[in-house]
Amino acid sequence: MQASPALVSSDDLYLFNTGQLFRAYRTFGAHPMEIEGSTGVRFVVWAPHAREVAVIGDFNGWNGNNRIVNMAQVGTTGIWAGFGPGIGEGARYKYEIIGEKGERQLKSDPFGFQSELRPNTASIVTSIHHHVWQDREWMADRKVNPPYEKPMLIYEVHLASWRMDAPEQFRDYEQLAHELVDYVCSMGFTHIEVLPLTEHPLDRSWGYQATGYYAATSRYGPAEGLKILIERCHQRGIGVLLDWVCGHFCKDDHGLRLFDGSPLFENEDYRRAEKPQWGTLAFDFGKPQVQSFLLSNALFWLDVYHIDGLRVDAVASMIELNFDKPESMRTVNRYGGTEDVEALHFLRKLNETVFLYYPESLMMAEDSSSYPGVTSPTYLGGLGFNYKWNMGWMNDMLRYMETDPAHRSSRHSLITFSLHYAFSENYVLPLSHDEVVHGKRSMLNKMPGTYQEKFANLRLFYGYWMTHPGKKLLFMGGEFGQFEEWKDYAGLDWILLQYPLHDSMRRYVRDLNLLYLNHRALWEGDHKQEGFEWIDVNNASQCMLSFQRNDKSSDCPIVTVCNFSRENHPVYRIGVSQSGSYRLLLNSDEADYGGSGMEMPIRVTAQTIPLHGKSHSIEVPVPALSTQLWLSER
């Protein structure tokens, strides 16, 4: 039986099957509507190898033989469509798919807009158009104020474990719209990046193994609540980024795996499909229908939820065919290489599509590879992202900071090497959730030394991080010195704020954030060599670094001095490029932050004593394990 052509337009059929239906969610899935005077729901699904497709749900007793919805193929396109009169919002449903060999499967809707709370897995008929948005000012402003030369301080959040009163007692979206947003604003962050919110069956996958790409997870209440959360962020001046997983999907029976009885969303070659490291399946990026599905999903979150950008997960695993695969599963591309040509094409197309409709969006690659041009335009052969996570900087810095100060002099290059490539891409400096799980210890507990020294080292590290070129990202808990590593099944240890050093750490991070926001030199030149100058890069023996950050005018440079050793320097001379006075902006060793409180001048005057290739120099005290920032007031 053939479906009525009125259910799906010929243009949509053509565009979907050629990888160009960029808003496929408007056609596919379950849409409440009126057809020929009858109110009900239109169902559309892609299942080209199915012998039969039925819609079952609480409206027909979950009985595929009770055909309230007459699903039929639309021509020979592999797309099935039908209309269910009398079905309304809130109805639960699945697709009953009979494969070519007669096997029966029950599948959630790949385009379903809402899912049942796990462990239940049915899709729920939901309209996506009810919310009346109250963020017009934010949406208009972001179009005329692009992010590249603006400050960016991202607070990475796992909504379930930010605050939790008891196991599995999650804050809902609307609660978080007040508690989380108020906290983020008070700390001076500019953006929230949320770990994946697509529906997923296992809490402890953190959302990285999804089944419902178009459904905001029901763990935190109805999807309407997520819109309220995002809207409140925008009203308070906070951007929202979504951690988006387009590289792989989980194997649960109700999901995308063998969707119509055959490999559909995944590659037919198991060596290409399997992700053994994660127990998942890779999308087959060479199929145009899969491209339509994923490209539409990216735009869906921007269209329907007003998300400000996507952090694309695991890019390295997408573009390398043999990423973490055993020898028996290794393959080559049609040119004999190991790059995934289809994945590279997809990523370029993804960024071109997003920027076509949302040129102001943030598209960030979480990429640990050395693939060149990740943030270069596609017309120059790049992948077209506008930001890339600097995993090299992160790994080098954590290795250095974990080293006892007595032995850091031999590892000095770890903290300087990043400036050899800092301007080759547009970088974000990530201190993310991945660095504080699986036995890696929390940021605070990575630091060596005594209890006091751990805090001093972390304040020092954060000071260097904030003044190094690149936008910033910090995972929740890092701001107050969470001592245990992240526990995804429990809330952060907010009780630690009752202890002076932890509360002092929180205040230090807040003040560091606010200082960053208020001084253009710390972010205006993030992607240009002119924004950074070494003063003394070679003082490995004393574990000292000094450098200068410049704004566009270079009128108000900021000098950063970092002492990674346990030695105090009551008098330390540093070359500076300008005459006049220098004012102390921040000292991580202040007693108010839990430091030693070594006496520091508020201002110093530059002398005409050349040093470090500069025409002038200043003398300042430099406490052990500390960062100082000095502002030129010429």
Side-chain angles (χ1 to χ4, degrees):
M1 182 170 62
Q2 296 294 313
S4 167
L7 292 177
V8 185
S9 75
S10 58
D11 285 347
D12 284 357
L13 294 174
Y14 172 79
L15 292 171
F16 180 75
N17 283 309
T18 57
Q20 301 176 82
L21 188 59
F22 298 147
R23 289 187 166 99
Y25 68 87
R26 295 176 179 174
T27 300
F28 288 77
H31 291 266
M33 61 177 57
E34 183 179 305
I35 294 181
E36 297 177 352
S38 179
T39 300
V41 175
R42 182 192 67 186
F43 296 90
V44 180
V45 67
W46 178 49
H49 304 109
R51 184 190 298 174
E52 294 180 46
V53 175
V55 181
I56 63 173
D58 49 17
F59 43 80
N60 67 352
W62 300 93
N63 183 353
N65 294 319
N66 184 7
R67 299 293 178 97
I68 290 178
V69 185
N70 289 313
M71 295 291 287
Q73 278 213 62
V74 185
T76 58
T77 62
I79 295 167
W80 297 70
F83 181 72
I87 301 174
E89 287 196 51
R92 297 176 300 143
Y93 71 98
K94 282 188 175 183
Y95 291 113
E96 181 183 71
I97 297 177
I98 309 301
E100 289 179 317
K101 297 178 182 178
E103 66 278 20
R104 175 180 177 270
Q105 299 186 103
L106 298 182
K107 292 288 188 178
S108 301
D109 188 347
F111 284 88
F113 300 135
Q114 187 176 338
S115 299
E116 290 185 294
L117 179 64
R118 82 300 175 247
N120 297 325
T121 57
S123 301
I124 301 174
V125 175
T126 306
S127 173
I128 56 177
H129 302 299
H130 290 322
H131 190 73
V132 180
W133 284 91
Q134 304 295 324
D135 64 349
R136 290 190 184 90
E137 185 176 342
W138 170 272
M139 298 296 283
D141 180 72
R142 74 180 194 181
K143 290 182 179 180
V144 296
N145 290 303
Y148 302 104
E149 293 185 351
K150 292 174 66 177
M152 192 181 298
L153 294 168
I154 305 167
Y155 188 63
E156 188 186 35
V157 183
H158 179 242
L159 293 185
S161 58
W162 183 69
R163 285 189 186 272
M164 193 185 298
D165 296 325
E168 298 189 24
Q169 290 189 15
F170 308 134
R171 297 291 202 273
D172 65 32
Y173 291 120
E174 292 195 51
Q175 286 176 292
L176 292 163
H178 295 281
E179 293 179 335
L180 174 61
V181 177
D182 287 349
Y183 179 75
V184 168
C185 288
S186 73
M187 289 297 295
F189 291 99
T190 64
H191 292 74
I192 297 172
E193 181 177 297
V194 188
L195 267 61
L197 292 177
T198 46
E199 194 58 86
H200 52 284
L202 180 65
D203 290 353
R204 304 204 65 183
S205 77
W206 314 331
Y208 288 94
Q209 298 188 16
T211 50
Y213 275 76
Y214 288 80
T217 179
S218 52
R219 286 166 175 77
Y220 317 118
E224 183 73 8
L226 176 56
K227 294 179 181 179
I228 292 170
L229 168 59
I230 294 168
E231 180 176 79
R232 181 164 168 79
C233 284
H234 289 171
Q235 291 170 339
R236 299 290 301 278
I238 302 296
V240 182
L241 308 175
L242 177 64
D243 201 336
W244 189 62
V245 186
C246 60
H248 61 114
F249 55 90
C250 71
K251 295 182 178 180
D252 289 53
D253 286 342
H254 67 282
L256 301 180
R257 182 179 68 93
L258 300 175
F259 185 77
D260 61 358
S262 65
L264 191 62
F265 289 89
E266 67 269 37
N267 198 288
E268 294 179 3
D269 185 342
Y270 83 96
R271 297 173 301 169
R272 296 283 301 274
E274 292 284 345
K275 292 278 192 184
Q277 181 185 22
W278 298 313
T280 55
L281 294 170
F283 281 103
D284 186 349
F285 300 108
K287 288 177 183 161
Q289 298 89 346
V290 171
Q291 294 176 23
S292 287
F293 175 80
L294 290 172
L295 296 172
S296 295
N297 188 247
L299 288 181
F300 169 82
W301 291 102
L302 304 177
D303 288 342
V304 176
Y305 285 92
H306 288 199
I307 291 289
D308 298 289
L310 303 173
R311 176 266 200 189
V312 179
D313 179 61
V315 168
S317 77
M318 294 173 65
I319 64 179
E320 170 55 47
L321 285 173
N322 301 318
F323 184 88
D324 278 343
K325 291 188 177 181
E327 189 68 36
S328 62
M329 293 181 63
R330 297 194 173 184
T331 58
V332 295
N333 61 36
R334 59 182 175 271
Y335 305 111
T338 60
E339 293 175 344
D340 190 326
V341 177
E342 288 81 12
L344 289 167
H345 171 74
F346 167 76
L347 290 171
R348 293 186 178 103
K349 189 173 180 179
L350 166 68
N351 289 314
E352 289 171 352
T353 303
V354 167
F355 291 133
L356 174 66
Y357 295 100
Y358 293 98
E360 73 279 11
S361 284
L362 293 164
M363 293 296 290
M364 298 184 174
E366 188 267 318
D367 177 29
S368 59
S369 77
S370 57
Y371 191 86
V374 172
T375 59
S376 294
T378 58
Y379 62 81
L380 294 177
L383 294 187
F385 289 94
N386 49 15
Y387 286 99
K388 172 180 174 171
W389 278 24
N390 194 336
M391 311 294 277
W393 171 87
M394 178 273 297
N395 284 315
D396 284 351
M397 282 306 305
L398 292 182
R399 284 172 59 202
Y400 183 84
M401 294 306 303
E402 290 173 3
T403 302
D404 187 279
H407 305 293
R408 284 176 176 168
S409 61
S410 63
R411 313 190 85 180
H412 193 69
S413 63
L414 289 174
I415 54 173
T416 62
F417 180 70
S418 58
L419 269 300
H420 288 288
Y421 62 86
F423 309 105
S424 62
E425 304 273 9
N426 300 330
Y427 281 118
V428 172
L429 306 183
L431 300 174
S432 77
H433 66 280
D434 277 331
E435 311 319 317
V436 293
V437 289
H438 304 319
K440 296 178 184 176
R441 297 171 295 167
S442 69
M443 293 303 300
L444 179 65
N445 207 18
K446 290 178 192 291
M447 302 296 116
T450 66
Y451 184 67
Q452 294 278 346
E453 285 179 337
K454 285 180 178 292
F455 283 91
N457 270 299
L458 190 57
R459 293 192 303 269
L460 158 63
F461 176 37
Y462 284 167
Y464 181 56
W465 167 65
M466 195 65 76
T467 53
H468 188 290
K471 307 308 182 185
K472 323 299 177 189
L473 179 142
L474 181 65
F475 184 57
M476 62 184 198
E479 75 276 15
F480 61 79
Q482 172 89 7
F483 203 85
E484 292 188 11
E485 68 176 21
W486 174 42
K487 306 180 293 291
D488 56 75
Y489 53 84
L492 295 178
D493 295 327
W494 294 100
I495 194 172
L496 291 175
L497 290 176
Q498 298 178 17
Y499 297 88
L501 279 176
H502 291 276
D503 190 48
S504 295
M505 177 62 72
R506 182 193 61 79
R507 287 187 284 105
Y508 172 70
V509 171
R510 180 200 62 196
D511 290 355
L512 192 58
N513 285 353
L514 295 176
L515 185 148
Y516 167 86
L517 294 176
N518 290 326
H519 291 276
R520 304 176 71 88
L522 296 179
W523 44 263
E524 197 171 53
D526 270 336
H527 313 307
K528 299 172 183 175
Q529 182 67 59
E530 311 88 78
F532 179 91
E533 294 178 48
W534 283 119
I535 295 174
D536 185 7
V537 65
N538 297 314
N539 193 350
S541 62
Q542 292 181 303
C543 302
M544 295 283 291
L545 274 184
S546 53
F547 54 90
Q548 178 174 304
R549 293 298 308 273
N550 303 316
D551 60 12
K552 280 185 177 178
S553 67
S554 295
D555 285 340
C556 300
I558 291 177
V559 172
T560 299
V561 185
C562 296
N563 180 2
F564 293 94
S565 79
R566 289 191 175 99
E567 300 300 318
N568 288 312
H569 299 284
V571 177
Y572 191 84
R573 186 171 288 276
I574 302 158
V576 293
S577 56
Q578 295 187 167
S579 60
S581 66
Y582 285 75
R583 175 167 59 91
L584 182 63
L585 286 179
L586 179 129
N587 171 26
S588 70
D589 189 56
E590 280 186 23
D592 283 350
Y593 297 142
S596 72
M598 178 177 172
E599 188 173 347
M600 298 285 292
I602 296 173
R603 282 180 174 81
V604 294
T605 301
Q607 298 173 291
T608 313
I609 301 175
L611 187 65
H612 300 138
K614 308 295 184 183
S615 57
H616 293 72
S617 59
I618 56 176
E619 280 191 345
V620 297
V622 182
L625 300 175
S626 70
T627 298
Q628 286 80 45
L629 276 66
W630 297 87
L631 173 66
S632 169
E633 292 188 314
R634 187 181 67 173

